[in-house]
Amino acid sequence: MSPRRNRPRGGDSHIPPGGEDRFRPERTESWQGEEWVVRQIGGGSAAKHYRCPGCDQEIPPGVPHLVAWAELRPVDDRRHWHRACWNARDRRTTRVQRSRNAPRY
C-alpha cells in the first residue's frame, strides 16, 4: 500500500481566482500619516531575540510576531513587534522607561 497524499495534485489549481492576494506575505497600513509595510513572521522562522518597541519586552525565538517599517524609509529601520502591541500602538505612550539594568537591544 502506498502512503496517503495530504496535498492536492496539480500545482496552483486549488487557489481560487482572485484569491492570490490572501497569500501575499506583506501588507501596507497607514499610521501617523505614513504608509507602513507589515510582514507577519511565523514561529518557525523567528530565530533570534528581538525587542518590541511597543512594550519594550523581549520577543524570544519561536514566537510568532510581525515586522513593520515605514515604506519610504530604508528596510534597515524595520522593527519587530508583538501582534498585540502593533494593534495597540495608538494607545501606547511614546516614551518607555527602562530600569537601569535593562539591556538596550
Side-chain angles (χ1 to χ4, degrees):
M1 180 186 293
S2 62
R4 190 175 100 186
R5 287 186 177 230
N6 288 330
R7 58 183 171 259
R9 297 180 188 178
D12 290 338
S13 62
H14 64 280
I15 299 175
E20 291 87 9
D21 287 344
R22 283 187 325 151
F23 300 104
R24 217 174 44 177
E26 296 176 355
R27 66 181 187 273
T28 306
E29 294 185 18
S30 216
W31 181 47
Q32 293 182 344
E34 288 186 271
E35 292 296 315
W36 290 75
V37 180
V38 180
R39 179 185 300 161
Q40 293 194 11
I41 305 295
S45 47
K48 292 176 22 181
H49 290 270
Y50 299 102
R51 180 141 324 254
C52 175
C55 64
D56 201 39
Q57 298 295 314
E58 190 174 275
I59 303 172
V63 173
H65 61 281
L66 56 88
V67 179
W69 67 94
E71 194 171 42
L72 299 177
R73 294 188 196 157
V75 178
D76 294 339
D77 287 345
R78 62 186 170 212
R79 296 291 173 253
H80 295 255
W81 294 71
H82 292 108
R83 288 180 186 162
C85 295
W86 177 257
N87 293 335
R89 62 192 179 273
D90 291 328
R91 297 187 300 266
R92 300 211 179 250
T93 62
T94 56
R95 180 152 168 83
V96 177
Q97 296 199 0
R98 297 185 191 140
S99 68
R100 194 175 294 196
N101 296 328
R104 292 267 175 198
Y105 55 89

